Amino acid sequence: MRFLMKRNYNQDIQLFKYRSTFFWYLALIIGCCLLPLVLDDYITSQLSFICMYSIATVGLMLLTGYTGQISMGHAAFFGIGAYTSAILTSKGVPFLLALPTAGLLAGFIGIFIGLPALRLSGLYLAIATMGFGFIVDEVLVRWESLTNGNMGMMVDPVSIGPLTFETEVQFYYLTLVVLVLTILAAKNILRSPTGRAMIAIRDSEVAAQAMGISMAKYKTMAFAISAFFTGVAGSLYGHKLTFINPESFTILVSIEFLAMIIIGGLGSLHGAVYGAAFIIFLPQLIIMTKDYMPKYLADQTGLESALYGLMIMLFILFEPMGIYGIWRKKKFYFEMFPLYKKDTFKKEKKYFKAERH
Amino acid sequence: MELFNEIIQTLLSGVSIGCIYGLVALGFVLIFKATEVINFAQGEMMVLGAFIALTLINVFGFSYWAALLLATVGLGIFGLILERLVLRSLIGEPVFAIVMLTIGLGYFVRSSVSMVPTWGTDTYGFTTPFTDKAARYGELVLSWEQLAIIFMTIALILILFAFFRYTRMGVAMRATSQNQLAAVYMGISVNRVFSLTWIISAAVGGFAGVLLSPITFVHMNMGFIGLKAFPAAVLGGFSSIPGAIVGGLIIGVTESLAGVYLPIGWKDVAAWIILIGVLIIRPQGLFGIQEKKKV
């Protein structure tokens, strides 16, 4: 186990805790860049999906994992991003401008969702955001002059100046760059006063208010930032699929995002990426294990979503910290090697955490 | 007269679907009042209830009433198993975890239903004593299927009311929902109350599913209608049983009026628009009591 002697305040919030951490992240990025050389096109395109979903889950993680505000309507921001970018590029706006515009519009709408969130918490917020998701979905269906309704619309492939991103490998690099930028931005937000205010709100709203944190400002800000990232992810998603319709942005997608951050591990940016990767590769995993299943079960179409639901339940019941939690425990085990105590991570059992009393 | 009939029929269909929303919302509210858990899988209870009734009627040749009763009882047992296996360990966890757990449960149940032999992903129907019957009053034609939903909902509510008002267990349940600690001191077994809450709630869900079957038919995705019960429950204040029913009726009637008199598309979002409006103006719902949160 390594102990760091902290000599000044800034060491607490610096981006990389140890110098070696920086090195390992650099190695990871280089590794990610080299991946398409050894993988086939299909896996590469799955990797692009992981990157895109990770951008969205990093956004949702900032809101749910760090600010403690649940949102069951994030598919709406995803959809707003996708449609904004698709419509703008079809009108001839360059992609480099359409991408941030998609994020900004989603973020702007996020502010309006953040406003009712000031008065709502927990369950009520979950239901209100779910309602918002339904309303946006219906708007996408009905505003036919703009979105072409249920028929869906074609999305132009991405090009930046002379560069085009048409093959799987090219698109993978594009999403990877955006993902790295997103994570860097999120990391930096989290160590800034804004991010620390968000974490304070999550841990105790009353305590945060007592410290002089403006609830209104930071909650709406959290919604806006989160919606911005999700909108950006939506924009990429539209260009990747080259065809979007409102079906791609229903409540099931919002639930999928939530499932990703829970399975990945709430309250860590690593978790956001792990969760996205896990959910994207889950169908592949199921196909691989199908040979070992009874024939009747393996032929069922509902198998995937049944396992998906089961996975969410098992993680919440047995590993609430998700994949990142497993990783932390394993790491801790080796760091402490002969002295590891299982109860280090044991959660305090609270029988009365009432919101009403 | 023409207009009058049209309005009456719209109102009737609104009230009948509103009863279903109300029953599902009642399921949420019962569980929420007792355990502060929100069951997002309540819609799936409807699916299970409907499929059990379907099998009993079409395969085993039971009568509609016997199937209704058995499906309700069966769902009660299912609720008991669920509470013991999964949900008891979650009391006191953050809202978020519980919401996601029950969503996962919903996925699991819905997909498992599609895997049961002879159930699958198709749409089914069964005949009830009310199929194709209508009550006529001059020009006015009222469908018995809808009237039956309304009458049976009223009957169920009266039974539940009597249970909560006059039986020892009912009073114990009300006491527990007011103050768990005090209830324990009075010698009430809170665990048993929780189990019974889940039993009743799941049974009400199954009952609603069987009632709904003649209108929407039996399908693995019929549980999605349960999502509309959230606005109903919130409108009623989430911890008020009469509130849940009234909320359901308001949502149902608004929806069917919007379906007839507003442009297409409004029907599906009307409930959610009302919900967000209510939450902004009166976050505790129409019947809820604002309770101060302790730190």
Side-chain angles (χ1 to χ4, degrees), chain A residues 5-147:
Chain A
M5 169 89 165
K6 285 179 183 157
R7 288 195 173 77
N8 65 33
Y9 173 69
N10 277 333
Q11 271 183 305
D12 244 355
I13 56 166
Q14 64 189 357
L15 209 49
F16 301 104
K17 204 169 164 198
Y18 310 111
R19 204 163 291 163
S20 62
T21 324
F22 173 72
F23 169 76
W24 285 115
Y25 280 119
L26 201 65
L28 179 69
I29 292 175
I30 293 170
C32 285
C33 289
L34 296 177
L35 269 180
L37 298 178
V38 290
L39 297 173
D40 59 20
D41 261 10
Y42 177 69
I43 305 279
T44 313
S45 93
Q46 294 302 96
L47 288 179
S48 317
F49 276 110
I50 292 179
C51 291
M52 288 183 293
Y53 275 103
S54 298
I55 298 165
T57 47
V58 165
L60 185 59
M61 191 65 91
L62 286 179
L63 183 68
T64 305
Y66 285 100
T67 321
Q69 308 297 307
I70 184 170
S71 163
M72 291 185 66
H74 252 55
F77 299 123
F78 202 55
I80 290 168
Y83 271 97
T84 311
S85 181
I87 292 163
L88 284 180
T89 46
S90 74
K91 298 246 169 12
V93 178
F95 173 74
L96 262 188
L97 199 63
L99 182 76
T101 314
L104 286 176
L105 184 67
F108 183 67
I109 294 172
I111 293 177
F112 288 99
I113 298 308
L115 288 178
L118 298 177
R119 301 188 61 181
L120 307 174
S121 63
L123 166 69
Y124 288 89
L125 186 60
I127 297 173
T129 47
M130 189 164 85
F132 164 72
F134 278 113
I135 293 171
V136 168
D137 200 38
E138 198 65 27
V139 169
L140 291 180
V141 173
R142 299 296 163 197
W143 197 346
E144 288 184 354
S145 56
L146 200 62
T147 65

Side-chain angles (χ1 to χ4, degrees), chain B residues 113-289:
Chain B
V113 162
S114 76
M115 290 189 207
V116 173
T118 74
W119 288 9
T121 51
D122 294 330
T123 303
Y124 305 93
F126 51 78
T127 50
T128 65
F130 324 108
T131 312
D132 298 330
K133 284 193 187 135
R136 283 168 204 280
Y137 301 99
E139 299 261 308
L140 192 63
V141 182
L142 301 175
S143 141
W144 258 108
E145 281 176 354
Q146 289 171 347
L147 288 174
I149 290 181
I150 297 170
F151 289 134
M152 272 151 52
T153 306
I154 293 172
L156 185 70
I157 291 168
L158 288 179
I159 293 171
L160 281 178
F161 175 78
F163 172 76
F164 283 116
R165 189 84 173 74
Y166 298 112
T167 64
R168 278 177 75 89
M169 199 62 204
V171 175
M173 285 173 77
R174 282 195 298 156
T176 311
S177 78
Q178 278 178 12
N179 192 331
Q180 282 177 12
L181 210 53
V184 175
Y185 292 155
M186 293 300 119
I188 294 169
S189 164
V190 173
N191 276 341
R192 266 178 63 195
V193 167
F194 286 176
S195 297
L196 194 64
T197 313
W198 273 90
I199 293 172
I200 295 178
S201 168
V204 170
F207 186 80
V210 183
L211 286 195
L212 185 63
S213 304
I215 294 184
T216 59
F217 298 107
V218 184
H219 186 261
M220 62 175 277
N221 285 335
M222 72 189 279
F224 281 120
I225 215 171
L227 289 178
K228 289 264 178 64
F230 279 113
V234 171
L235 209 58
F238 233 107
S239 47
S240 147
I241 291 178
I245 300 289
V246 175
L249 292 180
I250 293 175
I251 298 287
V253 169
T254 319
E255 237 186 34
S256 73
L257 286 177
V260 177
Y261 297 106
L262 284 178
I264 188 166
W266 281 94
K267 183 172 187 278
D268 292 325
V269 292
W272 300 103
I273 292 174
I274 295 178
L275 166 86
I276 290 180
V278 167
L279 282 180
I280 290 172
I281 299 161
R282 222 181 124 78
Q284 70 273 31
L286 294 181
F287 294 84
I289 310 147

Side-chain angles (χ1 to χ4, degrees), chain A residues 119 262 296 305 352 356, chain B residues 36 89 100 111 115 180 280:
Chain A
R119 301 188 61 181
I262 284 179
Y296 179 77
S305 59
F352 291 97
R356 321 175 277 183
Chain B
E36 303 222 335
S89 61
M100 280 315 284
S111 323
M115 290 189 207
Q180 282 177 12
I280 290 172

Side-chain angles (χ1 to χ4, degrees), chain A residues 66-69 196-206 208-209 213-215 218-219:
Chain A
Y66 285 100
T67 321
Q69 308 297 307
R196 283 174 292 154
M198 281 155 55
I199 294 170
I201 291 174
R202 173 192 69 185
D203 291 343
S204 165
E205 287 194 10
V206 180
Q209 268 174 322
I213 291 170
S214 155
M215 219 36 63
Y218 286 104
K219 273 193 184 174

Side-chain angles (χ1 to χ4, degrees), chain A residues 214-290:
Chain A
S214 155
M215 219 36 63
K217 184 177 159 196
Y218 286 104
K219 273 193 184 174
T220 43
M221 211 185 230
F223 263 94
I225 294 170
S226 171
F228 173 82
F229 287 134
T230 312
V232 167
S235 158
L236 287 170
Y237 182 77
H239 289 287
K240 165 81 185 152
L241 289 186
T242 67
F243 173 80
I244 48 175
N245 68 356
E247 283 280 294
S248 329
F249 309 106
T250 57
I251 174 134
L252 297 179
V253 179
S254 305
I255 292 174
E256 199 168 44
F257 287 150
L258 283 172
M260 282 174 181
I261 63 171
I262 284 179
I263 291 178
L266 272 183
S268 72
L269 291 180
H270 288 106
V273 180
Y274 294 154
F278 184 83
I279 296 282
I280 299 285
F281 278 125
L282 186 63
Q284 254 82 26
L285 286 176
I286 294 172
I287 291 170
M288 282 197 295
T289 52
K290 261 188 182 171

